[in-house]
Amino acid sequence: MSLTYIEALFYLGAGLAVLHVFVAGGFILRLLTARRTIPADADCPSALVILCLRGADPSLGNCLTGLLNQNYPQFDVLIVVDDPADEAWQAAHELVAANGATNVRIEALRHRPTTCGLKCAALVQAWSQVDERYAVVATIDADVVPHSTWLRELVAPFADPRVGAACGNRWYRPRPISWGAAVRYLWNAGAVVPMYWHGIAWGGTLALRSSVLRDTDYRDRVGRALCEDVMLRDVLRRAKLRLHFTPSLMLVNREDCTLAGFFHWMRRQTLIMKLYHSDSPAMLTHGLLCGAYLSVASVTLVAAAVVGDGIAVYGVGLGLGLFLASLLGPEPFMNAAVGRIVRRRGETLQPYSWGEKSQLVAALPL
């Protein structure tokens, strides 16, 4: 093997490793240095929280219980269910009645347009009912379990008039861990980093100034889309507003998943990025480059070992090792930073055992 080829693979692996460590380190620093802001009652704008349901999610009970028991002075909840025959319809009514909530409306999705996804259709229906009573409109997913100050922390950034939207992000942490859950955990640990740097909102915990719905084309764009959150940064940028990421709202999802379920979900995520985010070419290039490097370097390393080319084994192996270490190495530090945030609100994030850590390493190629 030529020395130039070996050097190219080494420097490419090392360069990608430096990039990964730099961007992951910046995100970890953001998690560690952020302060949890809980505004006083006088600084809490009137809010409408929208929950779109299709099927009875395993976390629905905890989600609704947490949502209906928010420590917030003035807010309403609007639940849009896919169909009255959907199992979520009865579940939602029973949960609302059990909590004695009087600030909740439940309605069925009235129209199923062919121009957008069902959640988008439900959001457009809900947004059509937003009037001057509400200064903020928030959305939450059924697999999110909100703590008592979730809504206060979500609206806190609106004290800055330059902020048009605020969001948190997800952190998967199932116990025990299956292969599907291990791959999703690793994928998400990597995904939250570019989401932060590229200003990608997460619709699972998202709040908007109601003026964004009135003064921009955001609602019309959602009515022609598969998702509501990825395009938001570009809408805000044109309105000279910005998206605020709230580190204290890194929310733990403890649900399990299968490998097949994960890959189906991941394909949808990557398609949405391709369609609706202006930075998708850069992220696509990075993804293809990493995939190509991993494949070529691995094959080259095996071939070099078979023919006994020690220089190639050393050079390519070192570059590949740095590359793989940069993918998995930041994870413990990121997990520790998220754990610190979670403990501040009284929750626990149990560490993985050595066996589970070994499973995560084995799941990395997947």
Side-chain angles (χ1 to χ4, degrees), residues 333-350:
F333 302 97
M334 199 180 306
N335 189 66
V338 174
R340 183 183 178 191
I341 291 170
V342 168
R343 286 191 296 273
R344 285 177 178 173
R345 57 178 184 250
E347 301 175 25
T348 59
L349 197 64
Q350 293 182 343

Side-chain angles (χ1 to χ4, degrees), residues 2-25:
S2 71
L3 188 59
T4 302
Y5 175 70
I6 295 171
E7 289 178 341
L9 285 181
F10 167 76
Y11 285 120
L12 180 56
L16 288 170
V18 170
L19 173 65
H20 295 160
V21 170
F22 176 79
V23 297

